Amino acid sequence: MAKCGVAGNKGLSTRHRSATNITFVPTANSPGVESVIDAIAEYELRYRDRTEEGEYSEEELLELLDSYLPDLVYAFDSKVPPPRERRGALALDKEYYEWRRITSGDPETRRAAAIRSYLATETERRGQFRISRSQNGRLADHFDAMGTEFMALGMPGHAALAYQSAADLYLPLQQKSKREHALLNRRRAQHMARPNGVQRIFEGLYDGICGYGYRPFRMLGWMAVMLAAFSVAVWLCGPAGYVRSLHGCLIDFLNPLMFGSLDANFGPAAQTLLIIEGYVGTISMAIFFAFLVRD
């Protein structure tokens, strides 16, 4: 019985040693991973050739990038080893931050590295393997940083795409502040990509007043400016003094006065301004509270 126990223990020990000596495939040395990285480099060269031709708009270049992804995702799913053979690590991790190691100020060098990094990150994000919560957070932060890099390179359309990917990843992570920051940067990138015109002017005002709705407390400053402007205008219209004009504007802004409630000391022009201010105040307060309760 004792011998059987020893033999049994030896068998368990042997199996335990063999289990602990499993050789994991390092990500950097995996032929499948290297194959996908080579494919990414090849597609980046194709993209660079198109940019050098100078005949494509940024929107067309973005469509070109998107057309590369199905083939890259297929290669990733079919050639890259599963996470258990990579100790759960991200397969293309070494490609993500390559653009940050570029110390050259040459825009072409930085652009090429950023495009390769974007393709690698988007390929792994769309791949079949499940990504952990912490890894999703890393990818989201990386997309957000890439958006900043694309903006610095004068590629606002690419930046908007990167910021949108970051926001999509922040949503299931319930990181509301980071998601709103990414969405705000996306809107600003889209604004930069838009040609000059009336729409761009109004978008600039929208950003300045409330940050496209993602910075609602900015509106309080604008409300203070409007109150000061209306109180001065009402005072100049007379005959009420400045203190009375300021008091009337404060009440009117928060609770619009009826026609019969307007002080007889305010002249016709001042009364007209108070009516306009009442509408402006009502609309401003409604928009402000709507932004506060927005998801």
Side-chain angles (χ1 to χ4, degrees):
M1 292 296 292
K3 288 184 179 181
C4 290
V6 172
N9 289 337
K10 286 178 66 177
L12 289 173
S13 178
T14 302
R15 286 195 298 270
H16 177 72
R17 285 197 302 269
S18 63
T20 56
N21 290 332
I22 292 176
T23 302
F24 291 91
V25 179
T27 302
N29 297 332
S30 170
V33 172
E34 294 300 330
S35 175
V36 174
I37 292 175
D38 291 341
I40 290 172
E42 179 182 347
Y43 280 120
E44 187 277 317
L45 286 174
R46 295 185 189 179
Y47 173 90
R48 196 185 313 179
D49 290 339
R50 297 294 180 90
T51 58
E52 289 175 353
E53 292 175 8
E55 300 177 358
Y56 296 86
S57 64
E58 189 174 12
E59 184 176 352
E60 291 172 330
L61 291 174
L62 289 174
E63 292 177 358
L64 186 66
L65 276 182
D66 191 61
S67 69
Y68 296 157
L69 287 170
D71 290 341
L72 289 173
V73 172
Y74 177 78
F76 180 86
D77 290 344
S78 58
K79 297 180 180 181
V80 172
R84 67 176 178 274
E85 297 182 16
R86 306 185 253 114
R87 301 175 186 252
L90 293 168
L92 304 176
D93 183 73
K94 74 172 189 176
E95 286 296 298
Y96 298 157
Y97 301 100
E98 180 185 357
W99 61 271
R100 296 190 180 186
R101 294 194 294 267
I102 302 297
T103 57
S104 171
D106 179 27
E108 294 299 326
T109 303
R110 290 171 58 194
R111 184 179 295 112
I115 293 297
R116 287 196 301 271
S117 181
Y118 172 80
L119 289 174
T121 312
E122 193 65 35
T123 297
E124 182 140 24
R125 183 170 82 100
R126 298 188 186 188
Q128 65 174 334
F129 302 121
R130 185 178 180 85
I131 300 176
S132 69
R133 180 181 177 86
S134 62
Q135 289 171 338
N136 270 320
R138 286 180 57 199
L139 294 186
D141 291 341
H142 176 61
F143 273 122
D144 191 68
M146 287 196 66
T148 303
E149 173 72 356
F150 281 132
M151 286 294 289
L153 291 170
M155 305 166 69
H158 293 67
L161 193 62
Y163 285 132
Q164 182 62 62
S165 296
D168 292 341
L169 289 170
Y170 284 134
L171 180 60
L173 297 175
Q174 298 181 342
Q175 296 182 355
K176 183 177 179 181
S177 60
K178 286 187 174 183
R179 180 172 183 268
E180 289 188 347
H181 182 73
L183 290 174
L184 172 60
N185 286 332
R186 178 183 67 89
R187 290 296 301 270
R188 287 174 173 170
Q190 290 175 331
H191 173 72
M192 292 298 296
R194 196 178 303 280
N196 293 329
V198 176
Q199 185 174 359
R200 183 170 183 178
I201 294 174
F202 280 108
E203 284 184 351
L205 291 174
Y206 187 24
D207 184 17
I209 292 173
C210 58
Y212 296 105
Y214 299 107
R215 297 291 183 269
F217 287 101
R218 280 188 183 180
M219 291 194 67
L220 297 178
W222 284 96
M223 291 179 192
V225 171
M226 285 189 291
L227 277 171
F230 273 107
S231 63
V232 170
V234 169
W235 170 53
L236 292 176
C237 289
Y242 180 74
V243 175
R244 192 175 189 83
S245 298
L246 177 60
H247 181 260
C249 287
L250 284 171
I251 295 175
D252 188 55
F253 192 88
L254 298 174
N255 186 22
L257 299 173
M258 303 296 291
F259 283 102
S261 302
L262 293 174
D263 197 317
N265 289 326
F266 294 112
Q271 292 184 20
T272 301
L273 287 174
L274 287 171
I275 293 172
I276 295 174
E277 186 208 27
Y279 281 106
V280 172
T282 300
I283 294 172
S284 298
M285 294 299 293
I287 294 174
F288 173 70
F289 286 115
F291 285 153
L292 286 183
V293 300
R294 179 179 52 81
D295 291 333

